[in-house]
Amino acid sequence: MDRPISAGQLKEKSLFQDSDGSVVPAKTLCHNCSQLKIFLGALAFSFFAKGFSGSYMKSMSSQIERRFEISSSIVGIIDGSFEIGNLMVMVLVSYLGPRVHRPKIIAVGCLVMSLGAFLSVMPQFLMGRYNYERITVSVDNSTTSVSACSPASSEGHPVTDAMETPSTMENVGLVRSSGMFGPTLGFLLGSFCASLWVDIGVVDTDAISINPKDTRWVGAWWLGLLICGSVNFIASLPFWFLPYSVPKEGENQTQKISNLSVQGDHCKIDSPAQPQLKFSEAAKDFLPALRKLFGNSIFLVYIFLTILQYNALVGIITYETKFMEQQFNVSVARAIFLIGVILLPITILGMFLGGFLIKKFKLHITEMAKFACTTFVAAYLLNLLYFTCSCEVLQVAGLTTPYSGIEHLSSTKNIYMASCNADCSCNLDQWDPVCGDDGITYMTACFAGCKSSTGTGKNMVFHNCSCVEGQGHGLGNSSAVLGQCQRESCTKAFPYFLALQTACAFMLALGGTPTYMIMFRSVSPDLKSFAVGIETLGGRVLGGLPAPIYFGALIDETCLKWGTKSCGGSGSCRVYDTKEFRNVYLGLIAGLRAGCCVLYIVLSVLIMKRFKREGKEVTDIKNTERSTSKELDTANKKDILPGARTSEESEETCM
């Protein structure tokens, strides 16, 4: 039977008495402290895993688009569908969070993320190897090929790769910081995987005739997903072994003696029972809480602001690498790398600095609103300077520029043809670009009218090209090499664009933390958790879900040349009108952020009206209390007889 602990047993059982007289086993204190540290460590790692996986998927959107020959709008639908799973449980979890076993809920979430990552890899192995479209040339003596411009080359289509191998607060700050560093490493992993050939390990990569700058290049997108799935699985493990509730550090270190009993030589502490969740009661309070939140004008404007910011942010994260590639002739792998090592760290620095300024100067909510509004407007003005980083359209013969000194054929079907290649029987749907001596890109060597070639793989050179007018050679005596021509002016403009983007990202992040704090200070304490859920839900439903779709659809409208699937039909885009791409992409971002500027101003006005009035009322109350106190002191002094001593003086005398 259990028996109460006597006072003489305190020392034997390693118990100590707290200041309020309660008794706590020393081992319990260490146990609670270790559980708290385990929980914080596990939570930090789960934040890291979430950011790591999410950023990696964003960085691989271009690779998935090319691997499965789909348009940017379809990629946007795939990207937006990621939010659907969140939407199914987000509000429910945020509202019922305090009433359920939160560690196990987190564990289930990590496990589902892991399973999703592993399932996403399956199409890579179910669909076979990736065969990019290229011109068909037969090799003679391994060095000289037959003419690319000949009737024999009329059946150009994607061919099987020839390079196949024979075998074929402080603690809470730590948690948030971990979530921020996750995306950085996710982008770095994306950069590494994008530089590897998609079928690495089963093909001879030295025999591949394209490089990572080619729009047909597909990186090993599936490899990173295996890593992401493993990381999320590991992140789920600790939560299965954590209790329903973990006491805060320094809290509940005083468990009452009434909860303490002895069984034999063992000390037993009755753990608090898990509260029973009554769904009817929770549902009854849901609508009133929702009405209270949306009746708050500041919170309502904040939600609209969040939605517009989500739209701009998600559009940038999804298509920024494609924009860099098309505008500045940068490989996707390098673009991802630069985002991971420059833009994300700068964003993290801006967020930390914004939080530091709030704490350092103890900013009031009105001051935070002014600060956030000022930084965002400054960032918006910097954003408009993006349009000055212009870059010329890729010069593609018959597509964006005429053939050198040759008129196009009048037939609508043969808009890509000219008299110099009319007899070459070129495949109009093919894209295997070559760069001529004249600095013009041709869709294939056949369209350049090349009669012969030397070398293999990336080193192949085409000669006697009838459509290429080289310097000092005249028409028909020039050569062409594999790949698109470089745009030197675009390459030179890229560092300025990157510097401008870095400054803009820093300014936006600097005001990001004050903006987020506005939400917490404008709603009642009992609704803060619910407000976070509503804010995240609104941002993802009306921002994270539609933004990739309409951004992708409008970007598709700027495509000049579509690829062709092996089974027929249009594939992914091979070349864009870079001028239209820039106007559409940057125009969308500028338009969304212009709306944000207006809402920031409205939000600042509402906050100043409400909290300045409340601050004045509080000041008046304090002044009234101070005046009343002075009057009472004066009255008390008048009531004291001469020679009498106050109670305070009496106490001092006694001491």
Side-chain angles (χ1 to χ4, degrees):
M1 291 181 61
D2 295 355
R3 66 178 186 275
I5 297 179
S6 63
Q9 292 176 309
L10 294 178
K11 186 175 181 181
E12 296 177 4
K13 296 298 178 182
S14 298
L15 303 176
F16 70 88
Q17 196 169 25
D18 197 15
S19 57
D20 63 352
S22 60
V23 181
V24 181
K27 290 183 179 180
T28 302
L29 296 180
C30 297
H31 180 64
N32 289 340
C33 182
S34 63
Q35 279 189 337
L36 179 61
K37 290 180 179 178
I38 291 173
F39 175 75
L40 288 174
L43 190 62
F45 189 71
S46 69
F47 266 68
F48 168 84
K50 177 180 177 292
F52 180 74
S53 304
S55 62
Y56 178 80
M57 282 299 297
K58 290 286 187 183
S59 69
M60 288 291 105
S61 58
S62 295
Q63 312 301 312
I64 294 172
E65 175 182 341
R66 296 169 186 175
R67 174 62 180 90
F68 302 105
E69 293 289 353
I70 54 180
S71 64
S72 295
S73 57
I74 299 298
V75 171
I77 293 175
I78 295 173
D79 186 271
S81 66
F82 176 80
E83 305 294 345
I84 295 177
N86 288 312
L87 305 180
M88 294 171 63
V89 296
M90 187 180 300
V91 175
L92 189 64
V93 170
S94 65
Y95 183 67
L96 302 179
R99 304 171 177 86
V100 295
H101 198 300
R102 283 171 285 190
K104 288 186 178 180
I105 292 296
I106 298 173
V108 171
C110 292
L111 205 59
V112 171
M113 285 279 290
S114 175
L115 180 62
F118 289 133
L119 288 176
S120 299
V121 176
M122 293 182 64
Q124 167 66 19
F125 302 102
L126 295 176
M127 294 185 64
R129 296 169 191 162
Y130 171 63
N131 298 314
Y132 59 92
E133 59 177 323
R134 53 182 176 163
I135 193 170
T136 307
V137 290
S138 59
V139 180
D140 181 18
N141 294 330
S142 299
T143 57
T144 306
S145 69
V146 298
S147 170
C149 172
S150 67
S153 65
S154 60
E155 296 298 325
H157 55 81
V159 295
T160 303
D161 288 323
M163 55 279 189
E164 295 179 8
T165 58
S167 60
T168 341
M169 59 228 98
E170 181 178 357
N171 290 332
V172 177
L174 173 65
V175 171
R176 303 294 297 184
S177 302
S178 302
M180 294 173 189
F181 288 115
T184 299
L185 293 183
F187 273 100
L188 292 180
L189 177 63
S191 175
F192 173 73
C193 292
S195 64
L196 303 176
W197 183 245
V198 62
D199 293 317
I200 185 172
V202 295
V203 297
D204 180 11
T205 54
D206 293 332
I208 299 174
S209 62
I210 59 176
N211 58 48
K213 287 187 177 182
D214 196 291
T215 54
R216 293 165 294 168
W217 177 274
V218 176
W221 60 275
W222 54 272
L223 183 60
L225 282 178
L226 292 177
I227 298 174
C228 291
S230 302
V231 169
N232 279 281
F233 177 76
I234 295 172
S236 71
L237 296 179
F239 293 103
W240 296 109
F241 306 100
L242 288 171
Y244 166 81
S245 177
V246 179
K248 296 180 182 178
E249 199 169 356
E251 177 187 291
N252 202 16
Q253 293 178 353
T254 60
Q255 299 221 11
K256 300 298 180 183
I257 191 66
S258 58
N259 292 334
L260 203 76
S261 61
V262 173
Q263 291 179 338
D265 294 329
H266 301 285
C267 175
K268 180 179 129 182
I269 297 176
D270 298 332
S271 58
Q274 177 175 339
Q276 297 297 319
L277 173 65
K278 293 184 178 180
F279 185 78
S280 58
E281 293 180 3
K284 182 180 179 181
D285 297 335
F286 181 81
L287 288 179
L290 195 63
R291 282 196 297 268
K292 188 176 179 181
L293 272 181
F294 284 103
N296 185 336
S297 58
I298 293 178
F299 180 75
L300 193 61
V301 173
Y302 175 83
I303 289 295
F304 288 131
L305 175 62
T306 299
I307 291 170
L308 290 184
Q309 286 184 321
Y310 257 91
N311 275 267
L313 180 63
V314 171
I316 290 172
I317 293 176
T318 307
Y319 296 106
E320 186 68 15
T321 55
K322 180 187 283 288
F323 178 76
M324 288 184 180
E325 177 193 36
Q326 294 296 324
Q327 291 290 320
F328 303 106
N329 203 37
V330 177
S331 69
V332 173
R334 188 185 175 205
I336 296 171
F337 176 79
L338 291 173
I339 291 175
V341 300
I342 297 179
L343 296 182
L344 285 181
I346 284 294
T347 301
I348 293 172
L349 177 62
M351 293 175 67
F352 272 111
L353 184 57
F356 172 77
L357 292 175
I358 292 175
K359 184 177 181 180
K360 176 70 175 178
F361 298 103
K362 297 180 174 59
L363 298 182
H364 187 260
I365 185 172
T366 56
E367 296 168 327
M368 285 193 289
K370 294 176 183 178
F371 180 75
C373 183
T374 302
T375 54
F376 190 88
V377 171
Y380 178 72
L381 295 177
L382 286 175
N383 183 81
L384 296 179
L385 295 178
Y386 285 158
F387 290 94
T388 63
C389 299
S390 59
C391 188
E392 75 271 15
V393 179
L394 179 67
Q395 301 296 298
V396 182
L399 193 63
T400 61
T401 188
Y403 285 86
S404 301
I406 302 172
E407 294 184 1
H408 290 280
L409 297 180
S410 59
S411 173
T412 305
K413 182 180 179 180
N414 297 325
I415 56 174
Y416 306 136
M417 304 296 293
S419 57
C420 61
N421 57 24
D423 298 329
C424 292
S425 302
C426 301
N427 187 338
L428 300 178
D429 297 327
Q430 203 166 40
W431 177 260
D432 189 12
V434 295
C435 179
D437 288 341
D438 53 0
I440 295 177
T441 299
Y442 298 84
M443 289 184 288
T444 66
C446 179
F447 283 97
C450 301
K451 304 299 188 295
S452 62
S453 65
T454 57
T456 58
K458 297 183 182 72
N459 300 318
M460 184 177 290
V461 180
F462 297 90
H463 303 282
N464 301 321
C465 303
S466 59
C467 296
V468 180
E469 184 177 6
Q471 298 178 356
H473 296 290
L475 201 62
N477 296 320
S478 300
S479 60
V481 295
L482 281 174
Q484 299 175 183
C485 295
Q486 299 295 316
R487 292 172 289 166
E488 295 299 330
S489 62
C490 301
T491 305
K492 292 178 181 178
F494 182 64
Y496 300 102
F497 171 79
L498 194 61
L500 186 62
Q501 193 175 42
T502 302
C504 186
F506 178 77
M507 293 298 294
L508 287 171
L510 192 62
T513 303
T515 302
Y516 196 65
M517 290 300 298
I518 287 173
M519 178 185 68
F520 286 105
R521 296 198 183 182
S522 63
V523 299
S524 57
D526 59 315
L527 294 176
K528 286 182 179 180
S529 176
F530 193 31
V532 172
I534 294 296
E535 181 253 0
T536 309
L537 175 69
R540 289 188 169 180
V541 170
L542 301 176
L545 189 58
I549 300 174
Y550 68 77
F551 263 82
L554 291 174
I555 289 173
D556 283 340
E557 294 298 318
T558 67
C559 183
L560 295 175
K561 174 65 178 175
W562 291 94
T564 306
K565 297 180 181 179
S566 57
C567 57
S570 298
S572 60
C573 187
R574 301 305 187 207
V575 61
Y576 291 89
D577 183 334
T578 51
K579 183 178 180 180
E580 291 298 321
F581 190 160
R582 180 177 67 250
N583 292 337
V584 166
Y585 179 71
L586 297 180
L588 275 174
I589 296 172
L592 290 169
R593 287 181 172 169
C596 290
C597 286
V598 174
L599 290 177
Y600 259 113
I601 295 172
V602 173
L603 186 66
S604 300
V605 171
L606 289 174
I607 288 174
M608 285 188 287
K609 282 185 177 180
R610 175 187 295 184
F611 288 93
K612 274 191 174 181
R613 182 173 62 253
E614 291 181 0
K616 184 178 180 181
E617 291 175 357
V618 171
T619 303
D620 292 340
I621 291 172
K622 287 183 178 178
N623 291 334
T624 303
E625 290 176 350
R626 193 178 295 112
S627 301
T628 304
S629 177
K630 288 181 179 179
E631 291 174 358
L632 289 173
D633 290 341
T634 304
N636 290 334
K637 288 180 180 178
K638 290 180 179 178
D639 292 339
I640 298 175
L641 296 175
R645 291 186 300 178
T646 63
S647 59
E648 293 179 357
E649 291 175 342
S650 301
E651 290 177 1
E652 290 177 359
T653 305
C654 294
M655 292 175 65

